[in-house]
Amino acid sequence: MAIGDIVYIGASLLFAYMTFVIIRGNFQRKFDSEGNRLDLKDKDDDKIG
């Protein structure tokens, strides 16, 4: 196996890991601690009671 192949495989794995982390972070930011979607919450719920 040539050194270029090893670098290519390493770069591919790093790219896949970084993509997974970014997508997971974006997904987790859409939910609160109870699992409710933040973008579907009514903003007036906090003012009611």
Side-chain angles (χ1 to χ4, degrees):
M1 204 186 243
I3 194 79
D5 292 340
I6 296 171
V7 171
Y8 179 77
I9 291 171
S12 299
L13 290 174
L14 181 62
F15 176 76
Y17 177 74
M18 289 173 55
T19 303
F20 173 75
V21 169
I22 290 170
I23 291 173
R24 185 184 63 180
N26 287 338
F27 185 76
Q28 286 177 343
R29 267 185 262 144
K30 291 184 179 184
F31 295 91
D32 62 4
S33 60
E34 298 173 359
N36 299 319
R37 292 271 309 247
L38 294 175
D39 58 345
L40 297 178
K41 266 186 169 177
D42 291 333
K43 295 185 189 260
D44 297 331
D45 283 347
D46 296 334
K47 298 177 185 176
I48 290 175

